[in-house]
Amino acid sequence: MEKCIRVYFEMGLDNMEILALLAKNHHCIVSYRHSKQILKKLRLFRRKHYTPREDVVAIIKDNIKGSGRLHGYRWMFMKCRQACLTIQKEYVRIFMQIINPEGVEMRQKGRSHRREYCSKGPNFIWHLDSYDKLKPFGICIHGCIDGFSRLIIWLEAGQTCSDPRVFQGILSTIFFRSEDLWW
């Protein structure tokens, strides 16, 4: 049981999640208080024995090279936790400020870069979406734009956004009169 508790603790699970997994997977019922005593006996503490800062900085630098440059310190803190690192959120915020000051400043000003993609031409990719804000009033708006020209292909109002047959019906009517759309 202690081995399982150690493994679950190192995965970053909290005490209630550990107790639930012990009960479900190992048929071992332990009280919350007893689990805290076991963790203390095993010298497993959440706010002690932090990961060396060099390891945290290496993980942050590695994540910033990819899509992590667009995300903030909360997302980076979760990435550190998923890598089984024990670190305070405040240190992650400070490291992010030191390692990537331009990204932090852009996020503070609300000027994040949008992802870019290339479309081969008109009608190569269409973007479908629905607008649910008016759903309490019985109105759902469905729309489609061309990814290349950003031209609105269609914009229709309906009664539901959750029924896939609605999009199917819209698409079938569009493709039946598609010779009007191919420019």
Side-chain angles (χ1 to χ4, degrees), residues 50-168:
Y50 290 113
T51 305
R53 293 184 179 139
E54 297 82 25
D55 297 342
V56 176
V57 169
I59 292 288
I60 291 174
K61 283 183 178 179
D62 189 44
N63 279 314
I64 285 178
K65 289 177 186 174
S67 64
R69 62 186 166 84
L70 301 174
H71 300 290
Y73 74 94
R74 290 184 185 105
W75 181 86
M76 192 63 69
F77 176 72
M78 288 307 298
K79 283 295 186 182
C80 291
R81 292 288 301 269
Q82 289 172 355
C84 297
L85 302 179
T86 306
I87 186 76
Q88 292 176 346
K89 196 181 286 187
E90 181 64 18
Y91 284 124
V92 173
R93 187 188 66 77
I94 292 169
F95 293 151
M96 291 278 294
Q97 184 108 33
I98 293 169
I99 295 170
N100 189 14
E102 300 89 19
V104 171
E105 183 180 338
M106 288 176 58
R107 280 188 296 279
Q108 285 176 345
K109 291 181 179 179
R111 297 182 185 167
S112 297
H113 288 292
R114 293 183 177 261
R115 293 182 185 99
E116 296 178 9
Y117 71 95
C118 294
S119 178
K120 293 183 181 179
N123 292 321
F124 181 74
I125 185 166
W126 285 2
H127 302 280
L128 306 170
D129 202 2
S130 58
Y131 186 72
D132 296 343
K133 298 289 185 191
L134 301 174
K135 197 171 187 176
F137 304 105
I139 302 170
C140 293
I141 300 171
H142 307 280
C144 176
I145 63 168
D146 180 37
F148 180 75
S149 63
R150 297 185 183 157
L151 181 73
I152 296 175
I153 305 297
W154 82 76
L155 194 61
E156 293 192 13
Q159 294 180 347
T160 180
C161 291
S162 45
D163 190 2
R165 291 179 289 182
V166 172
F167 273 119
Q168 182 183 2

